[in-house]
Amino acid sequence: MGGNSLQFLLTFVLFLFCTKPTLSCIEQERQALLKIKEDLIDDYGHLYSWSAEEGSKDCCKWRGVRCSNQTGHIIMLNLNFSNLEPLRAHFSELTKLKYLDLSNTSLVFNFSSDWVPPFQLEKIALWSCQLGPQFPKWLQTQKNCIWLDISNSGISDSLFNSYWIFSPRLIYMNMSHNQISGHIPNLSLEFSSRPTIDLSSNKLEGEIPSFLFKVTHLDISNNLFSEPALFLCTTNNRNLSILNLSNNQLLGELPNCWMHFEGLKILNLANNRFHGKIPNSIGSLLGIEILDLGNNSFTGELPSSLKNCTKLKFVSLRDNKLSGKIPMWLGSSHPDLVVLFLRSNHFFGSIPSHICHLTHLQLLDLALNHISGSIPKCINNLTALTSPISTIGHLYKGPLDFFHCDDLAFWLWKGRDLSSNLGQIKSIDLSSNKLTGPIPREIMELVGLISLNLSRNLLTRRITTEIGALRSLEVLDLSENQLSGGIPSSIALINSLNFLDLSNNNLSGIIPTGPQLNTFNATAYEGNPNLCGFPLPKKCPGETNQNTAVNRGDDHAGIQETEDGFITPGFYVSVALGFVIGFLGVFGTLLLNRSWRFSHFNFLNNVKDKMNVTVVVNMARLRRQHQT
């Protein structure tokens, strides 16, 4: 018995040591949360669980609240709910708070300037809150902060003497989309980890300090930085994977030290003032997927070292002064290429057939160059354009995934910015070159095309009658060429077409009509002396006015369809036979089968009787209502 008692005692003691008591929240902190709720307008009941009732007293179970398992203190407060309209907030009782997320709530912070929070936060998420116009002084007291997001928070302060912002323990910082100005202090700072820093869309200026390049993701685009680009060679960081310096005023030649950044996957230097040749060391970026050097003043030929960057998916070298022939390796060395922008340069020679090896290509823009020769017939090998399904989406999936294809591309057509819909666009733009010969029939196999622009070239011969196969087209521009013959009536089958320009060619005959074609005005066809019919003022033989052309559009379409070979005598025979067989199949059966005939007419009689009864009842009801 003694042994059993001892065993029971030991078991009981172990049970006491191993069993953790269930902790509820601290009453003082619960009351503080209830005060916060009183100061919030919650029309949608997001904070329904925040209640003083008996069954809801444990605030650790309230929505957006998390408590410490050891102490019961509130350590996380997440009010990241839409449709909350706050007046003010009380946080003085939440002494152990570590994570605060009030983002996207339009909170207006009215703390006194000398307020010192009783807590030390590790994560602060206050994006789209009203913090400004100055940096809140209470933020300077948060020495343990490793995650800070105060983007789009109405701050228009200067970074002067703001050393406190850049902590060595930083993991993530986002202060984008504010009006922050001044110079970033040049700190001798070593981060304990490789953080992500986003200072984009502000008014920062001066020199970019070298410590910023000791990160994994750096976005300082859309600012006013203007110092020469030599700062790039002051750092050696093989862990930097995203670098976005676009839309600044950076100038000078691009330094030849890209071997120091071998880990780069995204490099965006677009819309600056760089000049000179693209350095050979750019070929050291073996893992790069997105390269945007557009809208600078780069000169010379493409460096052959670029063929080493075999993982490229997006290349934009638009609006520069690059010259030479388009190299053949551009097609053979980059099998995953989805977007290729070379527009507005000085490239010459023919389009290499190796371009046809880019089976994933969805956007090809070679406009505004000096390219000659014919359009390659192998263009139907661009198999990504043979399907309406888009594969662009996010060209790069990073750990935080805040770089989208739309951020990196600016796609212009006829002065319209279509970059917001870039992920849905499949386009070929070869306009403003010196291309000759016919439009290849093979291009009509690219049925996923949204936009086709071959204008301002020297293309000849007829427009193929198969153009109606491009049912997804929204933009078609074949203007200012030397195309001849009639306009194929099959073009009326493209119901999605919202822009058409066939002007200034040698086209002739009747303009086909259709529901979509009738929406275009005369400018779509002007400059073709031998064209006639609506909407041109020139009448076709037998027409009395422009309206006749519209009313007889179907007749004109029928005439032209016969010329194009789409409607033959066999078509009319098939229609007649189909009508006769269908008619006999229904009414012949009723004539031959007596029971079916009786059932059919009995059904019609029942329907008629029900309709009569319904009408009589409703009329009587209306009379009674009128008499009362």
Side-chain angles (χ1 to χ4, degrees), residues 484-501:
S484 58
I487 301 174
S489 59
S490 64
I491 201 172
L493 300 175
I494 309 176
N495 295 323
S496 57
L497 202 62
N498 56 48
F499 185 94
L500 175 67
D501 193 349

Side-chain angles (χ1 to χ4, degrees), residues 331-621:
S332 57
S333 299
H334 306 99
D336 298 325
L337 202 61
V338 177
V339 177
L340 178 60
F341 287 159
L342 300 181
R343 70 177 292 127
S344 191
N345 279 285
H346 303 308
F347 292 112
F348 57 85
S350 61
I351 301 174
S353 59
H354 289 69
I355 289 287
C356 300
H357 297 168
L358 301 175
T359 56
H360 297 288
L361 197 66
Q362 289 187 207
L363 284 169
L364 175 63
D365 191 345
L366 307 180
L368 294 161
N369 280 285
H370 306 294
I371 300 171
S372 57
S374 60
I375 300 173
K377 290 187 176 182
C378 62
I379 198 166
N380 58 343
N381 290 336
L382 303 178
T383 52
L385 296 177
T386 61
S387 168
I389 300 174
S390 176
T391 60
I392 292 184
H394 292 72
L395 288 177
Y396 173 74
K397 291 281 188 180
L400 295 174
D401 196 24
F402 61 89
F403 278 79
H404 298 251
C405 180
D406 297 350
D407 300 322
L408 296 170
F410 177 73
W411 196 71
L412 273 176
W413 190 87
K414 288 289 182 183
R416 293 183 295 167
D417 177 14
L418 301 181
S419 60
S420 60
N421 296 318
L422 187 62
Q424 305 299 321
I425 291 175
K426 295 188 173 187
S427 167
I428 293 178
D429 191 345
L430 306 179
S431 61
S432 300
N433 281 289
K434 300 177 181 179
L435 295 172
T436 57
I439 299 173
R441 182 196 61 78
E442 289 78 8
I443 209 169
M444 307 308 157
E445 297 179 29
L446 307 180
V447 296
L449 274 175
I450 301 294
S451 174
L452 176 62
N453 190 351
L454 305 178
S455 63
R456 297 182 294 282
N457 279 288
L458 303 172
L459 299 172
T460 56
R461 301 188 192 178
R462 300 174 68 93
I463 301 172
T464 175
T465 57
E466 298 175 39
I467 196 168
L470 301 179
R471 300 292 182 90
S472 299
L473 269 186
E474 297 180 16
V475 174
L476 176 62
D477 191 350
L478 305 179
S479 62
E480 298 188 45
N481 280 285
Q482 299 174 12
L483 300 170
S484 58
I487 301 174
S489 59
S490 64
I491 201 172
L493 300 175
I494 309 176
N495 295 323
S496 57
L497 202 62
N498 56 48
F499 185 94
L500 175 67
D501 193 349
L502 303 178
S503 63
N504 298 303
N505 279 284
N506 297 317
L507 299 171
S508 58
I510 303 172
I511 297 174
T513 59
Q516 194 64 25
L517 291 183
N518 290 344
T519 64
F520 301 119
N521 56 35
T523 58
Y525 307 101
E526 64 186 7
N528 292 281
N530 297 319
L531 276 181
C532 64
F534 179 82
L536 292 177
K538 182 179 179 181
K539 303 180 184 66
C540 293
E543 287 184 338
T544 57
N545 52 49
Q546 296 181 28
N547 292 330
T548 306
V550 178
N551 296 329
R552 295 177 55 202
D554 294 337
D555 296 335
H556 294 159
I559 294 171
Q560 193 140 7
E561 284 173 355
T562 303
E563 293 176 355
D564 293 340
F566 280 97
I567 295 181
T568 62
F571 172 79
Y572 296 106
V573 172
S574 301
V575 170
L577 285 175
F579 175 77
V580 171
I581 292 172
F583 181 84
L584 292 178
V586 177
F587 292 99
T589 304
L590 296 177
L591 290 173
L592 297 177
N593 193 315
R594 184 179 181 183
S595 62
W596 286 16
R597 185 166 66 253
F598 285 153
S599 299
H600 177 72
F601 287 107
N602 187 42
F603 170 75
L604 293 179
N605 286 331
N606 290 336
V607 171
K608 182 188 71 173
D609 292 340
K610 288 182 179 179
M611 291 178 65
N612 288 333
V613 170
T614 302
V615 171
V616 170
V617 170
N618 287 330
M619 290 296 294
R621 184 180 299 155

